[in-house]
C-alpha cells in the first residue's frame, strides 16, 4: 500500500505499476452507503495489486463526476472537468517515479473524465491505462450487483431493512430521462434495478469474476484507443 510506505522503500523497490482507485460520493438508494463506488474500487484495486507482482495500490481518489445524482442529499460531485484535471496532474506527477499507472474506476459517471485524462497522458508518452468495476450482467445503480458485492465486502454497511425495488426499465429506455433530469427524474428512491434478491454469495461470484478479468488485463497490458485495458489472457 502506497500510503503505508516511506519514500526510501519506494526508492529501494520501485513498483512496476501504481494502481489508483477512483470512486465517488453519491446516493445509492436508501440501503447502500454514499461511498459505495469508492469501497468497490478500493477492494478491486487492492485485490488486483495483491495478485499482480510489482504493483502498489495508492489511496483512493474518493470524489467523482456524480452530477446525475445531485437531486439526492449527500451526493457530492466535482464534475467531469475537475476530475479530468485532477487525474491528468496525478498521472504527470506519479509517472515521474513509476513506469505504469492504472486507474480503477468505480463509477460509470467518471468514465468520460478518466478516458479523457488517460488519452492525454498517453499522448504525452506516459504509460497509463484504466479499467472499470463493471460486473458482467449487472444492473445500472444500487441494484442486484452493487448490493451483492457490498454484502460480500462489507455486509455491516448494507441497511437490509431498507432494501426495495427501484426502476427496472431497461437503461436504453430511461437514458434520455436520466440525461435530461438526472436520476431523480427516473426513480424516487435512487435505485435503478432490483436489489431484493442480492446475496453475499452472488457478491463473491461477481467480485471474483471482475477482479480475475482485471488481473488478466493488467498482466497483458494492452490499452485500446481510449486507454482502457483490453481483456487479458
Amino acid at each position: 500500500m502506497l500510503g503505508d510506505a516511506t519514500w526510501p522503500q519506494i526508492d529501494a523497490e520501485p513498483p512496476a505499476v501504481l494502481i489508483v482507485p477512483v470512486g465517488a460520493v453519491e446516493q445509492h438508494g436508501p440501503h447502500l452507503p454514499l461511498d459505495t463506488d469508492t469501497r468497490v474500487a478500493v477492494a478491486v484495486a487492492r485485490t488486483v495489486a495483491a495478485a499482480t507482482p510489482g504493483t502498489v495500490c495508492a489511496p483512493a481518489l474518493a470524489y467523482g463526476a456524480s452530477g446525475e445524482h445531485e437531486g439526492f442529499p449527500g451526493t457530492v460531485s466535482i464534475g467531469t472537468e475537475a476530475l479530468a484535471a485532477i487525474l491528468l496532474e496525478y498521472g504527470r506527477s506519479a509517472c515521474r517515479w513509476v513506469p505504469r499507472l492504472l486507474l480503477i474506476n468505480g463509477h460509470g459517471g467518471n468514465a468520460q473524465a478518466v478516458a479523457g485524462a488517460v488519452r492525454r497522458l498517453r499522448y504525452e508518452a506516459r504509460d497509463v491505462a484504466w479499467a472499470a468495476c463493471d460486473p458482467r450482467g449487472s444492473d445500472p445503480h444500487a441494484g442486484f450487483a452493487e448490493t451483492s458485492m457490498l454484502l460480500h465486502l462489507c455486509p455491516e454497511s448494507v441497511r437490509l431493512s431498507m432494501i426495495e425495488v427501484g426502476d427496472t426499465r431497461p437503461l436504453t429506455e430511461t437514458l434520455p430521462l436520466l440525461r435530461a433530469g438526472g436520476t431523480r427524474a427516473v426513480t424516487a428512491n435512487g435505485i435503478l434495478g432490483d436489489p431484493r434478491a442480492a446475496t453475499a454469495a452472488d457478491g463473491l461470484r461477481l467480485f471474483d469474476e471482475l477482479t480475475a478479468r482485471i488481473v488478466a488485463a493488467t498482466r497483458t497490458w494492452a490499452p485500446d484507443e481510449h486507454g482502457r485495458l483490453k481483456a487479458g489472457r
Side-chain angles (χ1 to χ4, degrees):
M1 297 297 296
L2 181 66
D4 293 330
T6 65
W7 78 260
Q9 287 178 298
I10 298 297
D11 191 44
E13 292 186 59
V17 183
L18 178 65
I19 301 180
V20 186
V22 184
V25 176
E26 62 181 44
Q27 71 82 23
H28 273 77
H31 66 293
L32 295 181
L34 293 164
D35 66 346
T36 288
D37 292 337
T38 304
R39 293 187 191 214
V40 172
V42 168
V44 169
R46 288 182 175 181
T47 302
V48 172
T52 311
T55 61
V56 169
C57 184
L61 296 172
Y63 290 88
S66 303
E68 69 274 21
H69 296 290
E70 286 181 322
F72 295 88
T75 298
V76 180
S77 173
I78 62 172
T80 296
E81 185 176 344
L83 178 60
I86 290 170
L87 294 173
L88 182 59
E89 293 305 323
Y90 190 111
R92 287 169 172 166
S93 178
C95 287
R96 291 174 63 88
W97 55 268
V98 70
R100 280 182 173 173
L101 180 69
L102 174 62
L103 305 178
I104 301 290
N105 180 33
H107 168 50
N110 293 343
Q112 181 180 347
V114 171
V118 169
R119 283 196 301 269
R120 179 56 186 261
L121 288 164
R122 293 186 63 78
Y123 174 78
E124 294 175 353
R126 296 174 173 91
D127 198 359
V128 182
W130 68 284
C133 300
D134 55 350
R136 285 174 176 157
S138 61
D139 41 8
H141 188 75
F144 173 81
E146 286 188 308
T147 303
S148 292
M149 285 202 293
L150 257 67
L151 284 170
H152 162 59
L153 295 171
C154 46
E156 71 284 352
S157 70
V158 181
R159 283 73 166 174
L160 294 172
S161 64
M162 302 296 290
I163 291 178
E164 57 190 33
V165 67
D167 189 292
T168 58
R169 288 174 291 175
L171 189 59
T172 53
E173 183 178 335
T174 59
L175 194 56
L177 298 173
L178 287 167
R179 286 174 173 164
T183 309
R184 191 114 206 191
V186 175
T187 169
N189 62 11
I191 301 171
L192 297 170
D194 188 351
R196 293 176 297 178
T199 68
D202 286 310
L204 173 60
R205 172 181 55 81
L206 291 168
F207 185 79
D208 282 351
E209 184 278 330
L210 171 62
T211 53
R213 181 159 35 100
I214 296 178
V215 166
T218 302
R219 290 174 176 171
T220 302
W221 199 265
D224 65 14
E225 66 273 18
H226 302 293
R228 183 170 181 173
L229 290 182
K230 299 176 184 177
R233 296 181 178 86

